Amino acid sequence: LLAMIVGGCAPRTDSPSSASAPAATAWVTSDDGRLALRLSVLTPRLKVKEDLHVAAQLRNVSQQKLTVLRPFGDHYTARAVGMKIWVGEHEIRYTGPALSYVIGSAGFVVIGPGEVVEDKMEITGNFTGIERAGRYTLRYDYSYDGYWDATAAAANSGISNAWRGTISSREVEVFRK
């Protein structure tokens, strides 16, 4: 089973803002000032049966190349732990299965100064209640602690010394009717 520590991703203690958020939020820079994260929704207004798709982007704001875990490179942790969804004050938690898996070098990328890498994800029925009408608030807590370093570096992949830390995106709102 996955044993990844997601330090720094504190549970939400405030309520979502009542102001309407844009489809793409502003960048949030990491504490070390080397990496920035942005979360967006592809369609901020959905009908009840429409699929919800999000995109997360990482931008290298440093002056050197950085090796990073792709925004959704650890697909399970991104979905089950990193993606936070609320409807009003109620958090909608991931209810899908726990997975046993390994991430290789394909989960990582080297990005140069100013470059951006983007991944997309569909938010599915593994978040019970997300299919109902309402105003949903989403936040993505991107985090990497070095857990996959050995498997990423296997087979002379060239992947090593991946950036470590946590960045929480700004909140994005989605409306279903």
Side-chain angles (χ1 to χ4, degrees), residues 29-88:
T29 304
S30 61
D31 289 341
D32 65 5
R34 297 171 66 197
L35 202 57
L37 173 68
R38 178 167 65 182
L39 179 69
S40 61
V41 294
L42 302 183
T43 307
R45 294 190 179 277
L46 300 168
K47 293 181 180 168
V48 172
K49 298 290 183 181
E50 284 184 277
D51 294 333
L52 171 58
H53 296 270
V54 297
Q57 298 174 316
L58 287 174
R59 182 176 67 194
N60 181 349
V61 294
S62 77
Q63 296 304 310
Q64 38 309 83
K65 288 183 177 183
L66 291 177
T67 300
V68 297
L69 176 68
R70 295 184 61 88
F72 299 141
D74 181 341
H75 58 283
Y76 174 75
T77 298
R79 182 178 307 276
V81 179
M83 189 58 60
K84 308 296 184 198
I85 303 172
W86 294 270
V87 58

Side-chain angles (χ1 to χ4, degrees), residues 4 8 16 28 30 45 85 90 94-95 116 120 154 165 167 175:
M4 182 161 186
V28 177
S30 61
R45 294 190 179 277
I85 303 172
H90 175 72
Y94 174 81
T95 56
V116 173
K120 294 177 181 170
I167 312 171
F175 299 90

Side-chain angles (χ1 to χ4, degrees), residues 152-175:
N156 299 320
S157 68
I159 299 296
S160 64
N161 299 318
W163 180 87
R164 291 186 176 122
T166 299
I167 312 171
S168 293
S169 75
R170 297 204 192 289
E171 295 174 352
V172 177
E173 288 188 347
V174 174
F175 299 90

Side-chain angles (χ1 to χ4, degrees), residues 74-132:
D74 181 341
H75 58 283
Y76 174 75
T77 298
R79 182 178 307 276
V81 179
M83 189 58 60
K84 308 296 184 198
I85 303 172
W86 294 270
V87 58
E89 299 290 323
H90 175 72
E91 184 174 358
I92 297 176
R93 299 188 182 273
Y94 174 81
T95 56
L99 302 178
S100 179
Y101 62 101
V102 174
I103 293 176
S105 61
F108 294 82
V109 66
V110 177
I111 52 177
E115 290 182 347
V116 173
V117 61
E118 178 182 78
D119 283 344
K120 294 177 181 170
M121 177 171 49
E122 181 180 355
I123 305 298
T124 65
N126 288 328
F127 291 90
T128 303
I130 192 73
E131 69 283 350
R132 297 184 189 121

